Amino acid sequence: MDTKKQNRRRFLKEGAALAGMAVGAIGSASAQTPGAEASPVPYRDRRAYGRRSRFVNSVRTNDDDATHAAFGRSFNVYTPLQDSIGIITPSSLHWVSAHGYEPPDIDPQEHRLMIHGMVDRPLIFTLEELKRLPFVSRIYYLECQANRPEYKGETVQQSHGKTACSEWTGVPLSLLLQEAGVQSGAGWIVSEGDEAGKMTKSIPMAKVMEDVLVAYGQNGEPVRPENGYPLRLVVPGFEAIYSMKWLRRIKVVDRPYLGYKEISRYTRDDSRSSWFQFEMGPKSVITFPSGGQRLPSRGYYQITGLAWSGGGAIRRVEVSTDGGRTWKDAELQGPALRLAHTRFNMAWKWNGEQTVLLSRCTDELGQVQPSLAEFARFWGATSEQFLSRSARGAGHSNSIQPWGVNRDGSVYNAIS
Amino acid sequence: MRFLNLLAPVLTLASCVVVLAQSPTYGLGRTPSEQEILAWDIAVGPEGKELPAGSGTAKEGEALYARKCAACHGPTGTEGKAPRLVGRQTRTVGSYWPFATSIWDYINRAMPIYQEGSLSADEVYALTAFLLFKNAIIQESDAMDAESLPKIQMPNRNGYQPPPVSEWKPGMPRPFEILP
């Protein structure tokens, strides 16, 4: 009703502000202050929706994939893990891989979730109805299965920036399926998104009943459009592609439905090809000091990083400051939650010499993060073949990431 | 029929403004009509149960392909900036995909890019037939429809592990666990 008027008013106001800024910018061109934004936003315009300091300029970086970029439809951005603090990723810095589709601009009033297939009572929910149901909030990471150490990753953002951790709020999918009444013989669901290509993904029922969420909240606000607004699945611990964004439909079925992202991509691509890979293995990475950063002087530092595993909670992180000769247990900062990023810290006195920093984690199942050589051997390849992608193996690399430290304090990707 | 059963409560509630609420515990959500379900349900499984009426041959598909697909996938499905659709050397629809029903499902929901969902059932059958023919899996005159498509034996059908049943259990280690 009034929103049109408001929009118009806001437009006029912002237009005026912009015009004012332009004049100001010309007037003070010689007196530029450092920071991400050249001109500070007027104080009163920051009250309605907060902004970070103009001196904080950590941003996501692009990594266009060639296939989609050729058609102007790549929306792949990485999380700046080198700047991460604690375990929660700000929603504005959450990595995105949109598989070649523009994040749809969905009106929440119009959006519906349909549940049907092998159920006694097919149901359609509005968003408002879903929000009336019992909800939970859970902290889970989401990691792309292609998030893997490589030569080309100069920074931890490039090598590991396709993982992020959020507090997700929503209705357990098990509750919705109980309401619909799952019939005997049903073993899987097919989830479907509402982007132009309507991607689908099949998920085994045991996982659905365990901990899958139909989420509308992320870090205390509605899920951001690129991350699935107004509704998405969160399938904790599985490759993030299972966590269907812009969720519009759940079909209960007896077998996996083998959609595009199950038979052409995201398959296990070796002689033992199989249709599905679910959990990601235990992984850890040092976020400081990491590639591209520089230690200003010898002396005391707090080595810090993140560890996570599709197997559950992180039990232990070991750090080596001498290229793997000796290992010491890092402190788990806590909370060390199941299927969430876990922060680890370790005190370190740098003596100014060349060295390599490593971390390796163990999860609650006893799974240990492998070295690159161990990981490659599993795929019947050498590290070299694996890194150059001439070896088979679709993602899922959870090998140890080495960061080299030069005498001048510069830090580089020491993978080899 | 279930549809008729549903009418009874609708009639008794007719005086209320409320739409029929179906969720038994919370009384939220509503029952979609059969037509709504049909309209939404574009997921086609390996058995092809959801395939709609209609049919098409490679011959019919050829002209359609030239008009709607060749710009991105190349005139013979081996050129162009979009993935190769024909050939055995690399992973293609023909060499890698285990079921022909998935080709139908994907073209129907996602192609052509920028006009997703614009093809008729006949057109999707014809384009699927064309790609199967170009990959030397069917004859040029073979008609693809809800009956014939699920029966196609794809070359890589057995290159995969047997169909996974619902083997996933909470707390299960990954199937390809690596312990140093």
Side-chain angles (χ1 to χ4, degrees), chain B residues 2-33:
Chain B
R2 182 190 287 167
F3 184 62
L4 291 180
N5 291 343
L6 292 178
L7 278 179
V10 172
L11 293 176
T12 35
L13 281 173
S15 54
C16 317
V17 201
V18 196
V19 203
L20 175 66
Q22 276 295 302
S23 119
T25 317
Y26 304 98
L28 290 168
R30 70 172 172 84
T31 306
S33 69

PDB file of all heavy atoms in Angstrom, chain B residues 2-33:
ATOM      1  N   ARG B   2      -9.856 -40.225  -3.443  1.00  0.00           N
ATOM      2  CA  ARG B   2      -9.435 -39.346  -2.367  1.00  0.00           C
ATOM      3  C   ARG B   2     -10.020 -37.946  -2.557  1.00  0.00           C
ATOM      4  O   ARG B   2     -10.430 -37.282  -1.628  1.00  0.00           O
ATOM      5  CB  ARG B   2      -7.920 -39.266  -2.350  1.00  0.00           C
ATOM      6  CG  ARG B   2      -7.442 -38.398  -1.221  1.00  0.00           C
ATOM      7  CD  ARG B   2      -5.977 -38.120  -1.354  1.00  0.00           C
ATOM      8  NE  ARG B   2      -5.193 -39.292  -1.032  1.00  0.00           N
ATOM      9  CZ  ARG B   2      -3.902 -39.371  -1.323  1.00  0.00           C
ATOM     10  NH1 ARG B   2      -3.320 -38.399  -1.963  1.00  0.00           N
ATOM     11  NH2 ARG B   2      -3.214 -40.432  -0.988  1.00  0.00           N
ATOM     12  N   PHE B   3     -10.083 -37.538  -3.803  1.00  0.00           N
ATOM     13  CA  PHE B   3     -10.575 -36.197  -4.103  1.00  0.00           C
ATOM     14  C   PHE B   3     -11.973 -35.985  -3.537  1.00  0.00           C
ATOM     15  O   PHE B   3     -12.281 -34.972  -2.930  1.00  0.00           O
ATOM     16  CB  PHE B   3     -10.559 -35.992  -5.613  1.00  0.00           C
ATOM     17  CG  PHE B   3     -10.961 -34.609  -6.019  1.00  0.00           C
ATOM     18  CD1 PHE B   3     -10.220 -33.500  -5.631  1.00  0.00           C
ATOM     19  CD2 PHE B   3     -12.086 -34.412  -6.795  1.00  0.00           C
ATOM     20  CE1 PHE B   3     -10.594 -32.233  -5.994  1.00  0.00           C
ATOM     21  CE2 PHE B   3     -12.465 -33.135  -7.167  1.00  0.00           C
ATOM     22  CZ  PHE B   3     -11.711 -32.041  -6.762  1.00  0.00           C
ATOM     23  N   LEU B   4     -12.833 -37.033  -3.699  1.00  0.00           N
ATOM     24  CA  LEU B   4     -14.204 -36.920  -3.206  1.00  0.00           C
ATOM     25  C   LEU B   4     -14.227 -36.880  -1.684  1.00  0.00           C
ATOM     26  O   LEU B   4     -14.980 -36.128  -1.083  1.00  0.00           O
ATOM     27  CB  LEU B   4     -15.037 -38.095  -3.715  1.00  0.00           C
ATOM     28  CG  LEU B   4     -15.288 -38.056  -5.230  1.00  0.00           C
ATOM     29  CD1 LEU B   4     -16.122 -39.244  -5.653  1.00  0.00           C
ATOM     30  CD2 LEU B   4     -15.983 -36.755  -5.609  1.00  0.00           C
ATOM     31  N   ASN B   5     -13.386 -37.702  -1.065  1.00  0.00           N
ATOM     32  CA  ASN B   5     -13.322 -37.689   0.394  1.00  0.00           C
ATOM     33  C   ASN B   5     -13.006 -36.295   0.924  1.00  0.00           C
ATOM     34  O   ASN B   5     -13.484 -35.880   1.957  1.00  0.00           O
ATOM     35  CB  ASN B   5     -12.217 -38.637   0.901  1.00  0.00           C
ATOM     36  CG  ASN B   5     -12.594 -40.078   0.632  1.00  0.00           C
ATOM     37  OD1 ASN B   5     -13.764 -40.352   0.375  1.00  0.00           O
ATOM     38  ND2 ASN B   5     -11.613 -40.958   0.672  1.00  0.00           N
ATOM     39  N   LEU B   6     -12.194 -35.607   0.186  1.00  0.00           N
ATOM     40  CA  LEU B   6     -11.766 -34.292   0.650  1.00  0.00           C
ATOM     41  C   LEU B   6     -12.894 -33.278   0.567  1.00  0.00           C
ATOM     42  O   LEU B   6     -12.905 -32.302   1.288  1.00  0.00           O
ATOM     43  CB  LEU B   6     -10.582 -33.789  -0.195  1.00  0.00           C
ATOM     44  CG  LEU B   6      -9.297 -34.576  -0.005  1.00  0.00           C
ATOM     45  CD1 LEU B   6      -8.211 -34.024  -0.906  1.00  0.00           C
ATOM     46  CD2 LEU B   6      -8.854 -34.510   1.457  1.00  0.00           C
ATOM     47  N   LEU B   7     -13.816 -33.539  -0.348  1.00  0.00           N
ATOM     48  CA  LEU B   7     -14.892 -32.570  -0.522  1.00  0.00           C
ATOM     49  C   LEU B   7     -15.767 -32.465   0.719  1.00  0.00           C
ATOM     50  O   LEU B   7     -16.234 -31.391   1.060  1.00  0.00           O
ATOM     51  CB  LEU B   7     -15.760 -32.961  -1.723  1.00  0.00           C
ATOM     52  CG  LEU B   7     -15.197 -32.531  -3.073  1.00  0.00           C
ATOM     53  CD1 LEU B   7     -16.125 -32.982  -4.176  1.00  0.00           C
ATOM     54  CD2 LEU B   7     -15.012 -31.021  -3.116  1.00  0.00           C
ATOM     55  N   ALA B   8     -15.971 -33.583   1.404  1.00  0.00           N
ATOM     56  CA  ALA B   8     -16.868 -33.577   2.552  1.00  0.00           C
ATOM     57  C   ALA B   8     -16.474 -32.520   3.595  1.00  0.00           C
ATOM     58  O   ALA B   8     -17.279 -31.644   3.907  1.00  0.00           O
ATOM     59  CB  ALA B   8     -16.936 -34.967   3.163  1.00  0.00           C
ATOM     60  N   PRO B   9     -15.243 -32.572   4.113  1.00  0.00           N
ATOM     61  CA  PRO B   9     -14.889 -31.532   5.092  1.00  0.00           C
ATOM     62  C   PRO B   9     -14.950 -30.121   4.516  1.00  0.00           C
ATOM     63  O   PRO B   9     -15.303 -29.188   5.222  1.00  0.00           O
ATOM     64  CB  PRO B   9     -13.454 -31.880   5.507  1.00  0.00           C
ATOM     65  CG  PRO B   9     -13.000 -32.997   4.628  1.00  0.00           C
ATOM     66  CD  PRO B   9     -14.192 -33.558   3.953  1.00  0.00           C
ATOM     67  N   VAL B  10     -14.691 -29.979   3.240  1.00  0.00           N
ATOM     68  CA  VAL B  10     -14.772 -28.638   2.644  1.00  0.00           C
ATOM     69  C   VAL B  10     -16.197 -28.111   2.779  1.00  0.00           C
ATOM     70  O   VAL B  10     -16.424 -26.975   3.172  1.00  0.00           O
ATOM     71  CB  VAL B  10     -14.376 -28.663   1.151  1.00  0.00           C
ATOM     72  CG1 VAL B  10     -14.653 -27.308   0.518  1.00  0.00           C
ATOM     73  CG2 VAL B  10     -12.913 -29.013   0.989  1.00  0.00           C
ATOM     74  N   LEU B  11     -17.152 -28.997   2.491  1.00  0.00           N
ATOM     75  CA  LEU B  11     -18.542 -28.562   2.541  1.00  0.00           C
ATOM     76  C   LEU B  11     -18.951 -28.210   3.966  1.00  0.00           C
ATOM     77  O   LEU B  11     -19.616 -27.222   4.199  1.00  0.00           O
ATOM     78  CB  LEU B  11     -19.443 -29.654   1.973  1.00  0.00           C
ATOM     79  CG  LEU B  11     -19.244 -29.879   0.464  1.00  0.00           C
ATOM     80  CD1 LEU B  11     -20.094 -31.027  -0.036  1.00  0.00           C
ATOM     81  CD2 LEU B  11     -19.556 -28.593  -0.307  1.00  0.00           C
ATOM     82  N   THR B  12     -18.528 -29.050   4.944  1.00  0.00           N
ATOM     83  CA  THR B  12     -18.930 -28.749   6.323  1.00  0.00           C
ATOM     84  C   THR B  12     -18.294 -27.449   6.809  1.00  0.00           C
ATOM     85  O   THR B  12     -18.848 -26.764   7.648  1.00  0.00           O
ATOM     86  CB  THR B  12     -18.526 -29.876   7.301  1.00  0.00           C
ATOM     87  OG1 THR B  12     -17.290 -30.402   6.854  1.00  0.00           O
ATOM     88  CG2 THR B  12     -19.576 -30.946   7.375  1.00  0.00           C
ATOM     89  N   LEU B  13     -17.133 -27.121   6.265  1.00  0.00           N
ATOM     90  CA  LEU B  13     -16.459 -25.908   6.702  1.00  0.00           C
ATOM     91  C   LEU B  13     -16.860 -24.702   5.863  1.00  0.00           C
ATOM     92  O   LEU B  13     -16.353 -23.613   6.051  1.00  0.00           O
ATOM     93  CB  LEU B  13     -14.937 -26.079   6.591  1.00  0.00           C
ATOM     94  CG  LEU B  13     -14.259 -26.879   7.702  1.00  0.00           C
ATOM     95  CD1 LEU B  13     -12.795 -27.107   7.372  1.00  0.00           C
ATOM     96  CD2 LEU B  13     -14.393 -26.173   9.043  1.00  0.00           C
ATOM     97  N   ALA B  14     -17.775 -24.957   4.927  1.00  0.00           N
ATOM     98  CA  ALA B  14     -18.069 -23.922   3.931  1.00  0.00           C
ATOM     99  C   ALA B  14     -18.411 -22.576   4.551  1.00  0.00           C
ATOM    100  O   ALA B  14     -18.101 -21.537   3.983  1.00  0.00           O
ATOM    101  CB  ALA B  14     -19.202 -24.376   3.021  1.00  0.00           C
ATOM    102  N   SER B  15     -19.032 -22.612   5.743  1.00  0.00           N
ATOM    103  CA  SER B  15     -19.418 -21.332   6.340  1.00  0.00           C
ATOM    104  C   SER B  15     -18.202 -20.571   6.884  1.00  0.00           C
ATOM    105  O   SER B  15     -18.237 -19.360   6.994  1.00  0.00           O
ATOM    106  CB  SER B  15     -20.435 -21.570   7.458  1.00  0.00           C
ATOM    107  OG  SER B  15     -19.892 -22.499   8.371  1.00  0.00           O
ATOM    108  N   CYS B  16     -17.141 -21.309   7.226  1.00  0.00           N
ATOM    109  CA  CYS B  16     -15.934 -20.600   7.685  1.00  0.00           C
ATOM    110  C   CYS B  16     -15.186 -20.040   6.481  1.00  0.00           C
ATOM    111  O   CYS B  16     -15.310 -20.538   5.376  1.00  0.00           O
ATOM    112  CB  CYS B  16     -14.981 -21.535   8.428  1.00  0.00           C
ATOM    113  SG  CYS B  16     -15.802 -22.635   9.566  1.00  0.00           S
ATOM    114  N   VAL B  17     -14.395 -19.037   6.715  1.00  0.00           N
ATOM    115  CA  VAL B  17     -13.595 -18.466   5.637  1.00  0.00           C
ATOM    116  C   VAL B  17     -12.321 -19.284   5.446  1.00  0.00           C
ATOM    117  O   VAL B  17     -11.649 -19.199   4.442  1.00  0.00           O
ATOM    118  CB  VAL B  17     -13.213 -16.996   5.959  1.00  0.00           C
ATOM    119  CG1 VAL B  17     -12.868 -16.264   4.676  1.00  0.00           C
ATOM    120  CG2 VAL B  17     -14.340 -16.302   6.701  1.00  0.00           C
ATOM    121  N   VAL B  18     -12.007 -20.093   6.477  1.00  0.00           N
ATOM    122  CA  VAL B  18     -10.742 -20.827   6.495  1.00  0.00           C
ATOM    123  C   VAL B  18     -10.639 -21.820   5.340  1.00  0.00           C
ATOM    124  O   VAL B  18     -11.606 -22.464   4.983  1.00  0.00           O
ATOM    125  CB  VAL B  18     -10.625 -21.617   7.820  1.00  0.00           C
ATOM    126  CG1 VAL B  18      -9.183 -22.056   8.043  1.00  0.00           C
ATOM    127  CG2 VAL B  18     -11.141 -20.797   8.981  1.00  0.00           C
ATOM    128  N   VAL B  19      -9.433 -21.930   4.764  1.00  0.00           N
ATOM    129  CA  VAL B  19      -9.178 -22.959   3.770  1.00  0.00           C
ATOM    130  C   VAL B  19      -8.966 -24.263   4.529  1.00  0.00           C
ATOM    131  O   VAL B  19      -8.505 -24.256   5.663  1.00  0.00           O
ATOM    132  CB  VAL B  19      -7.897 -22.661   2.958  1.00  0.00           C
ATOM    133  CG1 VAL B  19      -7.938 -23.383   1.624  1.00  0.00           C
ATOM    134  CG2 VAL B  19      -7.684 -21.180   2.789  1.00  0.00           C
ATOM    135  N   LEU B  20      -9.244 -25.355   3.854  1.00  0.00           N
ATOM    136  CA  LEU B  20      -9.098 -26.654   4.485  1.00  0.00           C
ATOM    137  C   LEU B  20      -7.680 -26.863   4.993  1.00  0.00           C
ATOM    138  O   LEU B  20      -6.730 -26.859   4.221  1.00  0.00           O
ATOM    139  CB  LEU B  20      -9.444 -27.738   3.464  1.00  0.00           C
ATOM    140  CG  LEU B  20      -9.229 -29.156   3.953  1.00  0.00           C
ATOM    141  CD1 LEU B  20     -10.195 -29.475   5.069  1.00  0.00           C
ATOM    142  CD2 LEU B  20      -9.398 -30.119   2.799  1.00  0.00           C
ATOM    143  N   ALA B  21      -7.549 -27.026   6.285  1.00  0.00           N
ATOM    144  CA  ALA B  21      -6.237 -27.276   6.870  1.00  0.00           C
ATOM    145  C   ALA B  21      -6.046 -28.763   7.033  1.00  0.00           C
ATOM    146  O   ALA B  21      -6.909 -29.446   7.533  1.00  0.00           O
ATOM    147  CB  ALA B  21      -6.129 -26.565   8.212  1.00  0.00           C
ATOM    148  N   GLN B  22      -4.904 -29.263   6.573  1.00  0.00           N
ATOM    149  CA  GLN B  22      -4.738 -30.701   6.531  1.00  0.00           C
ATOM    150  C   GLN B  22      -3.746 -31.266   7.529  1.00  0.00           C
ATOM    151  O   GLN B  22      -3.807 -32.416   7.865  1.00  0.00           O
ATOM    152  CB  GLN B  22      -4.305 -31.117   5.124  1.00  0.00           C
ATOM    153  CG  GLN B  22      -5.469 -31.280   4.187  1.00  0.00           C
ATOM    154  CD  GLN B  22      -6.380 -32.410   4.605  1.00  0.00           C
ATOM    155  OE1 GLN B  22      -5.965 -33.546   4.726  1.00  0.00           O
ATOM    156  NE2 GLN B  22      -7.646 -32.096   4.841  1.00  0.00           N
ATOM    157  N   SER B  23      -2.788 -30.454   7.966  1.00  0.00           N
ATOM    158  CA  SER B  23      -1.765 -31.028   8.823  1.00  0.00           C
ATOM    159  C   SER B  23      -2.400 -31.435  10.145  1.00  0.00           C
ATOM    160  O   SER B  23      -3.038 -30.617  10.804  1.00  0.00           O
ATOM    161  CB  SER B  23      -0.631 -30.014   8.980  1.00  0.00           C
ATOM    162  OG  SER B  23      -0.466 -29.645  10.308  1.00  0.00           O
ATOM    163  N   PRO B  24      -2.310 -32.720  10.516  1.00  0.00           N
ATOM    164  CA  PRO B  24      -3.131 -33.225  11.612  1.00  0.00           C
ATOM    165  C   PRO B  24      -2.774 -32.641  12.978  1.00  0.00           C
ATOM    166  O   PRO B  24      -3.666 -32.372  13.772  1.00  0.00           O
ATOM    167  CB  PRO B  24      -2.888 -34.730  11.575  1.00  0.00           C
ATOM    168  CG  PRO B  24      -1.617 -34.922  10.826  1.00  0.00           C
ATOM    169  CD  PRO B  24      -1.508 -33.771   9.893  1.00  0.00           C
ATOM    170  N   THR B  25      -1.502 -32.435  13.264  1.00  0.00           N
ATOM    171  CA  THR B  25      -1.119 -31.967  14.602  1.00  0.00           C
ATOM    172  C   THR B  25      -1.327 -30.474  14.747  1.00  0.00           C
ATOM    173  O   THR B  25      -1.796 -29.994  15.762  1.00  0.00           O
ATOM    174  CB  THR B  25       0.363 -32.284  14.888  1.00  0.00           C
ATOM    175  OG1 THR B  25       0.639 -33.603  14.430  1.00  0.00           O
ATOM    176  CG2 THR B  25       0.674 -32.168  16.362  1.00  0.00           C
ATOM    177  N   TYR B  26      -0.970 -29.726  13.722  1.00  0.00           N
ATOM    178  CA  TYR B  26      -0.958 -28.263  13.842  1.00  0.00           C
ATOM    179  C   TYR B  26      -2.077 -27.601  13.050  1.00  0.00           C
ATOM    180  O   TYR B  26      -2.303 -26.405  13.190  1.00  0.00           O
ATOM    181  CB  TYR B  26       0.403 -27.712  13.414  1.00  0.00           C
ATOM    182  CG  TYR B  26       1.528 -28.337  14.195  1.00  0.00           C
ATOM    183  CD1 TYR B  26       2.271 -29.395  13.672  1.00  0.00           C
ATOM    184  CD2 TYR B  26       1.810 -27.915  15.494  1.00  0.00           C
ATOM    185  CE1 TYR B  26       3.283 -29.987  14.414  1.00  0.00           C
ATOM    186  CE2 TYR B  26       2.809 -28.504  16.244  1.00  0.00           C
ATOM    187  CZ  TYR B  26       3.548 -29.549  15.695  1.00  0.00           C
ATOM    188  OH  TYR B  26       4.536 -30.147  16.428  1.00  0.00           O
ATOM    189  N   GLY B  27      -2.753 -28.347  12.212  1.00  0.00           N
ATOM    190  CA  GLY B  27      -3.844 -27.772  11.438  1.00  0.00           C
ATOM    191  C   GLY B  27      -3.392 -26.677  10.503  1.00  0.00           C
ATOM    192  O   GLY B  27      -4.108 -25.708  10.263  1.00  0.00           O
ATOM    193  N   LEU B  28      -2.164 -26.790   9.987  1.00  0.00           N
ATOM    194  CA  LEU B  28      -1.661 -25.766   9.074  1.00  0.00           C
ATOM    195  C   LEU B  28      -1.398 -26.368   7.699  1.00  0.00           C
ATOM    196  O   LEU B  28      -1.280 -27.576   7.542  1.00  0.00           O
ATOM    197  CB  LEU B  28      -0.366 -25.171   9.633  1.00  0.00           C
ATOM    198  CG  LEU B  28      -0.537 -24.293  10.873  1.00  0.00           C
ATOM    199  CD1 LEU B  28       0.808 -23.995  11.509  1.00  0.00           C
ATOM    200  CD2 LEU B  28      -1.257 -23.002  10.511  1.00  0.00           C
ATOM    201  N   GLY B  29      -1.279 -25.501   6.693  1.00  0.00           N
ATOM    202  CA  GLY B  29      -1.078 -25.970   5.326  1.00  0.00           C
ATOM    203  C   GLY B  29      -2.416 -26.355   4.729  1.00  0.00           C
ATOM    204  O   GLY B  29      -3.421 -26.469   5.431  1.00  0.00           O
ATOM    205  N   ARG B  30      -2.425 -26.519   3.405  1.00  0.00           N
ATOM    206  CA  ARG B  30      -3.667 -26.972   2.765  1.00  0.00           C
ATOM    207  C   ARG B  30      -3.353 -28.082   1.786  1.00  0.00           C
ATOM    208  O   ARG B  30      -2.199 -28.288   1.398  1.00  0.00           O
ATOM    209  CB  ARG B  30      -4.370 -25.811   2.064  1.00  0.00           C
ATOM    210  CG  ARG B  30      -3.636 -25.316   0.842  1.00  0.00           C
ATOM    211  CD  ARG B  30      -4.456 -24.284   0.058  1.00  0.00           C
ATOM    212  NE  ARG B  30      -3.635 -23.697  -1.001  1.00  0.00           N
ATOM    213  CZ  ARG B  30      -3.449 -24.249  -2.200  1.00  0.00           C
ATOM    214  NH1 ARG B  30      -4.026 -25.407  -2.506  1.00  0.00           N
ATOM    215  NH2 ARG B  30      -2.674 -23.652  -3.099  1.00  0.00           N
ATOM    216  N   THR B  31      -4.409 -28.788   1.391  1.00  0.00           N
ATOM    217  CA  THR B  31      -4.222 -29.892   0.460  1.00  0.00           C
ATOM    218  C   THR B  31      -4.170 -29.358  -0.966  1.00  0.00           C
ATOM    219  O   THR B  31      -5.089 -28.670  -1.387  1.00  0.00           O
ATOM    220  CB  THR B  31      -5.393 -30.880   0.564  1.00  0.00           C
ATOM    221  OG1 THR B  31      -5.510 -31.261   1.929  1.00  0.00           O
ATOM    222  CG2 THR B  31      -5.150 -32.100  -0.289  1.00  0.00           C
ATOM    223  N   PRO B  32      -3.104 -29.653  -1.701  1.00  0.00           N
ATOM    224  CA  PRO B  32      -3.069 -29.210  -3.098  1.00  0.00           C
ATOM    225  C   PRO B  32      -4.064 -30.027  -3.927  1.00  0.00           C
ATOM    226  O   PRO B  32      -4.317 -31.185  -3.612  1.00  0.00           O
ATOM    227  CB  PRO B  32      -1.628 -29.501  -3.540  1.00  0.00           C
ATOM    228  CG  PRO B  32      -1.116 -30.534  -2.589  1.00  0.00           C
ATOM    229  CD  PRO B  32      -1.891 -30.392  -1.311  1.00  0.00           C
ATOM    230  N   SER B  33      -4.600 -29.440  -4.960  1.00  0.00           N
ATOM    231  CA  SER B  33      -5.487 -30.181  -5.859  1.00  0.00           C
ATOM    232  C   SER B  33      -4.634 -31.096  -6.734  1.00  0.00           C
ATOM    233  O   SER B  33      -3.431 -30.885  -6.873  1.00  0.00           O
ATOM    234  CB  SER B  33      -6.278 -29.214  -6.741  1.00  0.00           C
ATOM    235  OG  SER B  33      -5.390 -28.590  -7.655  1.00  0.00           O
TER     236      SER B  33
END
